[in-house]
Amino acid sequence: SQYTRGTVTAFAPFDARADAEALRKAMKGMGTDEETVLTILTTRNNAQRQEIASAFKTLFGRDLVDDLKSELTGKFETLMVSLMRPAYIFDAHALKHAIKGAGTNEKVLTEILASRTPAEVQNIKQVYQQEYEANLEDKITGETSGHFQRLLVVLLQANRDPDAGVDEALVEQDAQVLFRAGELKWGTDEEKFITILGTRSVSHLRRVFDKYMTISGFQIEETIDRETSGDLEKLLLAVVKCVRSVPAYFAETLYYSMKGAGTDDDTLIRVMVSRSEVDLLDIRREFRKNFAKSLYQMIQKDTSGDYRKALLLLCGGDDD
């Protein structure tokens, strides 16, 4: 039921062959008709895009993704190719690129592992193994260290408690443990934060945050901010924000990808593509509420050309 808040839904009436033919025509010969490409790919859902790719190969003996890569360029190309990846392959691919080569992109590890459900994480691990013949956890532990690594490993176990009834005694106990591990202690017992934030159910943690505020007089975010730093701090905060509201977390992520000078296009593309069939309508609502402008307007102001047209179609409308 949670997946009915996307801006991209199944297109009807759908004809994979007709779409494949239109795409081939748009990319054949001199010059490319980008408008046709972006209109088809942003208005079909992922399952339909896979059918189009299959029809494309059947009709023309060509690989649609290869053709997109050779005909398009820049951010527009990245966006169109991203739309062609099934969800779990998309996440697995993003994680692989975050840990390959020199330097690790901690931001991508944080965003994906803090925001996906345990079931989604299990699927990502499986797909990663199939696609790359490698164990995702081994790859991540090889590229990270310290408490940041430990919390990533906890999240990768995907063993968060199921959302059953909330035990008030345990809520009180967890809130006290966090208070003693942070504000009341000289130094911080990071392990307590990692265990509680990484394993308790979402509804339990929401109650813990309220109780923590009552006990300490601080929001849990303020304590994390004061008591931890660097990548661990960012990951703990992302987990807390996603427990409170995944759409609000992504609204904030999108806002900061475009705020100020320059745009973090990788983040903008990753979030717009990965949430377009999940909760982008909710993200838009949170964006409007928290940043006094619509996501649509910010994309319009911050991007240009076919890239902008495609992002605005994915966005699915203005909220003003």
Side-chain angles (χ1 to χ4, degrees):
S1 67
Q2 73 191 101
Y3 293 134
T4 51
R5 303 287 304 152
T7 51
V8 177
T9 51
F11 183 84
F14 173 62
D15 181 343
R17 285 179 75 103
D19 282 348
E21 282 165 354
L23 286 169
R24 175 73 183 123
K25 187 169 167 229
M27 293 189 282
K28 202 173 155 181
M30 289 294 287
T32 304
D33 168 10
E34 286 87 358
E35 190 85 27
T36 296
V37 174
L38 73 88
T39 304
I40 291 175
L41 297 186
T42 59
T43 54
R44 309 305 189 256
N45 70 9
N46 200 285
Q48 292 175 326
R49 290 180 212 128
Q50 303 314 316
E51 284 185 56
I52 295 168
S54 163
F56 196 88
K57 194 164 268 183
T58 301
L59 294 171
F60 310 113
R62 304 172 68 90
D63 185 288
L64 176 55
V65 172
D66 290 347
D67 278 12
L68 290 169
K69 285 178 176 170
S70 72
E71 293 296 323
L72 310 175
T73 56
K75 297 172 285 204
F76 180 55
E77 176 200 333
T78 306
L79 177 57
M80 293 299 109
V81 170
S82 297
L83 285 170
M84 292 305 302
R85 289 196 179 100
Y88 298 125
I89 292 183
F90 182 78
D91 281 347
H93 180 268
L95 290 168
K96 178 166 172 62
H97 281 264
I99 47 187
K100 100 174 202 214
T104 305
N105 188 337
E106 290 83 5
K107 185 186 211 167
V108 175
L109 299 183
T110 295
E111 179 196 300
I112 293 176
L113 294 174
S115 65
R116 303 304 190 254
T117 64
E120 287 168 340
V121 173
Q122 292 292 11
N123 280 319
I124 292 165
K125 289 196 298 190
Q126 220 174 330
V127 166
Y128 196 95
Q129 184 71 51
Q130 285 159 2
E131 290 285 304
Y132 305 116
E133 292 176 0
N135 178 294
L136 178 58
E137 187 182 318
D138 292 347
K139 289 289 180 195
I140 286 179
T141 49
E143 296 294 331
T144 55
S145 61
H147 290 108
F148 175 62
Q149 178 199 76
R150 288 186 200 138
L151 180 50
L152 288 172
V153 170
V154 168
L155 295 171
L156 279 165
Q157 302 319 298
N159 279 333
R160 194 177 282 290
D161 297 336
D163 260 319
V166 172
D167 172 352
E168 287 302 330
L170 185 61
V171 166
E172 172 79 37
Q173 186 189 320
D174 280 351
Q176 292 286 358
V177 167
L178 290 172
F179 186 43
R180 287 197 297 273
E183 298 291 346
L184 282 187
K185 194 173 186 312
W186 178 253
T188 310
D189 183 350
E190 290 91 354
E191 205 150 275
K192 298 280 195 292
F193 280 84
I194 289 169
T195 303
I196 292 173
L197 293 177
T199 62
R200 299 290 197 250
S201 77
V202 168
S203 49
H204 173 85
L205 285 171
R206 286 179 184 156
R207 292 285 302 117
V208 170
F209 299 162
D210 292 344
K211 179 64 75 175
Y212 185 87
M213 179 75 193
T214 311
I215 295 169
S216 68
F218 298 114
Q219 294 287 8
I220 188 81
E221 291 90 335
E222 298 174 76
T223 295
I224 290 170
D225 198 32
R226 265 201 302 278
E227 297 288 328
T228 61
S229 61
D231 294 323
L232 174 67
E233 177 190 349
K234 291 186 183 114
L235 181 54
L236 285 167
L237 286 173
V239 170
V240 169
K241 286 169 183 173
C242 289
V243 164
R244 291 194 189 274
S245 162
V246 170
Y249 169 71
F250 279 117
E252 185 183 321
T253 304
L254 284 169
Y255 178 74
Y256 285 106
S257 75
M258 294 182 277
K259 182 183 184 288
T263 304
D264 175 357
D265 292 292
D266 287 342
T267 298
L268 178 55
I269 290 169
R270 197 171 53 249
V271 176
M272 292 297 288
V273 170
S274 65
R275 308 316 286 185
S276 60
E277 290 180 47
V278 183
D279 54 3
L280 194 48
L281 290 169
D282 296 328
I283 292 168
R284 270 171 41 185
R285 195 182 62 221
E286 292 291 334
F287 196 100
R288 184 73 194 81
K289 188 173 92 190
N290 298 331
F291 302 110
K293 55 168 74 104
S294 71
L295 175 59
Y296 192 92
Q297 288 162 351
M298 200 153 180
I299 290 171
Q300 203 159 25
K301 189 177 113 289
D302 231 73
T303 58
S304 61
D306 295 313
Y307 176 54
R308 168 164 64 191
K309 278 183 202 161
L311 284 172
L312 291 175
L313 280 169
L314 282 181
C315 184
D318 198 344
D319 298 295
D320 255 15

